[in-house]
Amino acid sequence: MLSIEQLERILREALPGAEFSVARPKQPSNPWWLDIVLGPQTVTVEWRPKQGFGISSNSSESYGEGPDEVVEDTALAGARIIYLLKTGTSTESPRDVELRRLREEKDISQEELARVLQMSQPAVSKMERRGDMSISTLRKIVAALGGELELVARFPDHAVRILHLGEGETT
Amino acid sequence: MLKLAETLTEVEDELTSIPNHPENWRSDGRMYPPQEDYRFETSRSDVVEYRSRKHSTYVRSNGAIEIRKAVGKTVEFEKPGADGRKVWE
């Protein structure tokens, strides 16, 4: 079963009152579209094989825009979409935020984060003030806060996502 | 289709300072014309659909264009083709 079909199954089970519309491309490698409507709230999912799910709520009706959020993991995408539809929350494009501010927005204390990361609270405090850290450490912090890290390299004529970096042991 | 893409690109070049990078997947705030891999067949052989985040754009072989909201299918824009006929006429 394809990831988009798994996602649809998850959502249909969790949102029995929602309406679903799926657009399947003729070429399997092209994007799929899944529109979910629950009351006044709409979430549109663009799924690209091997690239993940692009998620947008009805926050913007502008023509030809890309998705607000991109999530690779199917379960994480499902949880995000269910949350958006049930709470009426809007998706938003990524904004600039410092790690400390991000942690505070998630209502997680330094002590709690330290426990998850198996380090001391002072180490977390020091880490939040640092201007540099390993990608694997950053990936763990983001995961501990409930998200996933995505690395994108932009060039004048294209952009690529860099895979499998920082997924090993902390260095 | 090429004309539509050119027009949208020119409008955005005029109105925004956001660079033209259609290969960016995530929204960068810029409006992009329909891309070729977003093309879907329709019930009519002379009409193709280009899906985007919130819209479906239908283009007929006579050059007619119709843009509908993806959910609800409300028509937001339509333009007849060279022979005066609309997309579904």
Side-chain angles (χ1 to χ4, degrees), chain A residues 3 24 37 42 51 53 61 66-67 72-73 84 93 112 115 129 143-144 148 152:
Chain A
S3 298
R24 295 173 173 80
V37 180
T42 301
Q51 292 190 55
F53 304 93
E61 298 293 324
E72 284 183 50
D73 183 78
L84 290 167
S93 297
E112 290 169 320
R115 212 163 28 248
R129 293 194 303 272
E148 63 179 7
V152 177

Side-chain angles (χ1 to χ4, degrees), chain B residues 1 5 13 19 30 38 42 48 50 59 69 74 79 85 88:
Chain B
M1 192 59 224
D13 285 344
R30 184 181 166 112
Y38 290 88
T42 69
V48 292
Y50 291 86
V59 181
K69 281 194 173 179
T74 311
K79 185 189 86 60
R85 288 187 294 172
W88 304 108

Side-chain angles (χ1 to χ4, degrees), chain B residues 18-79:
Chain B
I18 301 168
N20 182 19
H21 289 310
E23 71 284 354
N24 286 350
W25 184 16
R26 198 196 307 272
S27 175
D28 56 10
R30 184 181 166 112
M31 175 181 74
Y32 288 99
Q35 307 295 310
E36 200 52 37
D37 56 352
Y38 290 88
R39 187 169 73 174
F40 288 83
E41 292 181 351
T42 69
S43 57
R44 287 201 5 197
S45 61
D46 61 341
V47 179
V48 292
E49 174 188 358
Y50 291 86
R51 176 63 203 264
S52 58
R53 168 173 153 172
K54 290 294 176 187
H55 298 87
S56 288
T57 301
Y58 300 92
V59 181
R60 189 177 176 181
S61 56
N62 67 350
I65 298 169
E66 182 181 277
I67 299 175
R68 289 176 178 264
K69 281 194 173 179
V71 174
K73 299 296 179 187
T74 311
V75 176
E76 301 228 305
F77 173 83
E78 57 181 352
K79 185 189 86 60

Side-chain angles (χ1 to χ4, degrees), chain A:
Chain A
M1 183 184 283
L2 297 170
S3 298
I4 186 69
E5 294 170 328
Q6 291 173 356
L7 178 68
E8 185 184 356
R9 176 184 283 185
I10 290 169
L11 296 174
R12 282 188 185 277
E13 286 177 5
L15 304 165
E19 295 172 26
F20 294 81
S21 171
V22 184
R24 295 173 173 80
K26 195 171 181 183
Q27 296 285 337
S29 58
N30 284 355
W32 290 52
W33 295 88
L34 173 62
D35 296 298
I36 313 114
V37 180
L38 184 66
Q41 188 75 356
T42 301
V43 169
T44 297
V45 180
E46 175 187 350
W47 178 65
R48 294 183 176 191
K50 299 179 183 174
Q51 292 190 55
F53 304 93
I55 302 172
S56 306
S57 68
N58 43 355
S59 54
S60 169
E61 298 293 324
S62 298
Y63 183 87
E65 276 193 71
D68 285 332
E69 303 174 4
V70 176
V71 179
E72 284 183 50
D73 183 78
T74 307
L76 203 59
R80 177 62 174 154
I81 294 163
I82 292 165
Y83 176 82
L84 290 167
L85 288 166
K86 285 190 171 178
T87 62
T89 310
S90 295
T91 50
E92 46 185 286
S93 297
R95 59 197 161 81
D96 299 332
V97 65
E98 292 179 344
L99 269 183
R100 182 189 186 93
R101 176 76 181 144
L102 178 62
R103 176 183 54 74
E104 289 170 349
E105 286 179 0
K106 300 295 177 190
D107 204 20
I108 295 173
S109 67
Q110 286 185 340
E111 290 79 6
E112 290 169 320
L113 184 58
R115 212 163 28 248
V116 174
L117 297 174
Q118 296 180 313
M119 58 174 62
S120 66
Q121 178 272 324
V124 170
S125 176
K126 188 177 172 185
M127 201 166 58
E128 287 184 340
R129 293 194 303 272
R130 284 199 329 228
D132 194 16
M133 68 175 63
S134 70
I135 294 170
S136 57
T137 300
L138 182 58
R139 192 179 292 281
K140 285 178 181 175
I141 293 170
V142 172
L145 296 174
E148 63 179 7
L149 184 68
E150 184 182 66
L151 292 173
V152 177
R154 299 194 190 287
F155 299 88
D157 58 343
H158 71 291
V160 293
R161 286 191 310 119
I162 299 178
L163 304 176
H164 310 308
L165 200 57
E167 293 178 352
E169 291 299 307
T170 304
T171 53

